[in-house]
Amino acid sequence: MAVIGSGFGGLGAAVRLRREGITDFVVLERAGSVGGTWRDNSYPGCACDVPSHLYSFSFAPNPDWPRTFSGQEHIRAYLEHVTDVFGLRPHLRFDAEVKMMRWDGEELRWEIETATGTLTADVVVSATGPLSDPKTPEIPGLETFPGEVFHSARWDHDYDLAGKRVAVVGTGASAIQIVPAIQPEVGRLTLFQRTPAWVMPRVDRAISGAERRLHRALPFTTQLRRGLLWGIRELQVQAFTKHPDELGLVEQLAKRNMARAIKDPALRAKLTPDYRIGCKRILLSSAYYPALAQPNVDVVASGLAEIRGSTLVAADGSEAEADAIVFGTGFHVTDMPIAERVVGADGVTLAETWKNGMQALRGAAAAGFPNWMTIIGPNTGLGNSSMILMIESQLNYMADYLRQLDVLGGRAALDARPAAVDAWNQRVQERMRRTVWNTGGCTSWYLDPSGRNTTIWPGTTTEFRRATRRVDLAEYQVVRKAGTRGTGGPAPASTPASAASSASASTPEATPSPEATPSAATGGAPKSGAAA
């Protein structure tokens, strides 16, 4: 097997493979260390907006988180710790960016071309993550800018911002952390805000030594803390997915948070969104608004439209001078670059297959790409909870996928049936119609160019856990090497999986009833990072 990426998704997959008794695998990583998005995003103020005890693997609890919301350096250190504790280093291949992978229909395996050579794999697990490739807008005249330019995910730590005129472009999760972190040291900060964000207070604090000693001495207290954090977020889901009107009270809390720090009515008007809270990602910060109120900060309520030398021109015609530009403009989420490097059974790339929008069976398998799975695939994102929960659910699905291949026996592959992919996607999109992400009146990175939400899961993490608990072989076709036999005798080159094996599970519904909590120690329950 080959796993692509060594963020949360890739490392989680590697741990699960070892737990399943599979040791013949490699983890291909394009960088020189593990960590994914938590390695790449090292900008000032970088931290997680999910509580620490929920933003960690259920099978690798950490009783020593220093803060309720951990910073980038602590999360990266946690991933290094997981790598060592579970003995993953022998499987890691650094500086091995995947250039192309092609399905060999005769040998039933993937041929993978990397920066360090080629290899073959029976199964590929792609864990490159949606927050791995920075997205920088094409601004006319950017090439004429004489100063420093970098994306938040490629921060230039050698460039001294002290006393400089700095322009920050964007008002997403990264920008609201960067602005208060650099505001005290820069000479002037200009924030180009195309769309204001809803910002709630960030109730962060240091975790006391007594708490940490308690978690070390009584591990169940860590599980209890995690379970409480999870449960609160599960109860919030219906407001996002079925009753967006109930979010009006949350909007009032967000407005009060703004009013406490922003006394200027004109500035408050600039910063007040005109869409329902939750439509875009709700941001957490207790320092963002106070920073914007400082005398060395200007908020331009318009996007950056043009650059003329060191002069930055907004869409509303206003101008600002800058020595450096920081783009906090997000990532290629609905057009993941890895898709251009995956060539399936029909000789077409995954990007071509997804040209009208990403879709994958249970967020994992794409039709025409046998024995290929993705972690944090289409419609597996969350708007209010921890992505680690979703990752671990997908690891459960991956594990059962491999067990089904063992049951089939011989040289075989599973290929998602197009009808099954379509049926799953239709159910997801039907549920999406009522959600705040589709009805809230905003344009967000959750939506693809056609306006379809291909990123968010429209339900609870419990529902997704149930839907990915096991593989339904009726949703797949079995692909066999010509002339080979499985444990059940000869099979044609491609047969419906339900006919090739009796191990099929009953079809999980898209709206199952709740079951065990995601912190169960058996498998594994979880933001994944960058890699190939």
Side-chain angles (χ1 to χ4, degrees), residues 140-204:
L142 180 59
E143 70 283 356
T144 71
F145 183 70
E148 288 292 314
V149 179
F150 48 88
H151 192 278
S152 59
R154 300 291 184 268
W155 194 270
D156 185 354
H157 291 278
D158 294 328
Y159 183 72
D160 186 5
L161 294 176
K164 300 292 198 307
R165 299 168 299 178
V166 180
V168 176
V169 182
T171 51
S174 299
I176 72 153
Q177 295 180 342
I178 292 170
V179 167
I182 68 173
Q183 174 270 320
E185 66 174 301
V186 303
R188 186 138 211 100
L189 193 154
T190 303
L191 177 66
F192 285 85
Q193 170 193 269
R194 188 174 60 181
T195 308
W198 286 107
V199 182
M200 295 290 288
R202 177 186 173 93
V203 188
D204 185 28

Side-chain angles (χ1 to χ4, degrees), residues 478-492:
V478 174
V479 181
R480 290 198 181 279
K481 190 174 180 180
T484 63
R485 294 172 177 265
T487 57

Side-chain angles (χ1 to χ4, degrees), residues 85-130:
V85 166
F86 289 93
L88 303 182
R89 297 218 178 263
H91 300 279
L92 293 169
R93 302 293 182 269
F94 292 127
D95 302 311
E97 180 177 8
V98 171
K99 301 296 187 180
M100 190 67 68
M101 63 179 79
R102 297 178 177 84
W103 175 250
D104 183 340
E106 292 186 2
E107 297 297 327
L108 299 191
R109 65 187 184 188
W110 286 95
E111 296 180 349
I112 307 170
E113 177 188 346
T114 78
T116 56
T118 59
L119 61 131
T120 62
D122 300 316
V123 181
V124 170
V125 176
S126 178
T128 60

Side-chain angles (χ1 to χ4, degrees), residues 239-268:
F240 289 85
T241 60
K242 296 180 180 179
H243 309 292
D245 289 343
E246 295 179 357
L247 293 166
L249 176 60
V250 184
E251 285 185 10
Q252 294 305 312
L253 295 174
K255 288 179 179 179
R256 290 178 188 174
N257 179 47
M258 183 195 307
R260 280 193 292 268
I262 305 297
K263 304 304 181 182
D264 179 5
L267 181 55
R268 270 206 310 270

Side-chain angles (χ1 to χ4, degrees), residues 10 40 66 214-215 230 345 389 451 471:
D40 295 342
L214 176 65
H215 292 328
W230 164 78
L389 303 171
V471 169

Side-chain angles (χ1 to χ4, degrees), residues 283-328:
L283 306 180
L284 302 181
S285 177
S286 297
Y288 179 63
Y289 287 141
L292 296 184
Q294 297 305 308
N296 68 331
V297 177
D298 294 314
V299 178
V300 179
S302 183
L304 178 60
E306 184 183 358
I307 297 174
R308 303 170 188 158
S310 61
T311 303
L312 279 57
V313 184
D316 64 3
S318 59
E319 298 181 357
E321 297 294 314
D323 302 308
I325 302 174
V326 177
F327 284 102

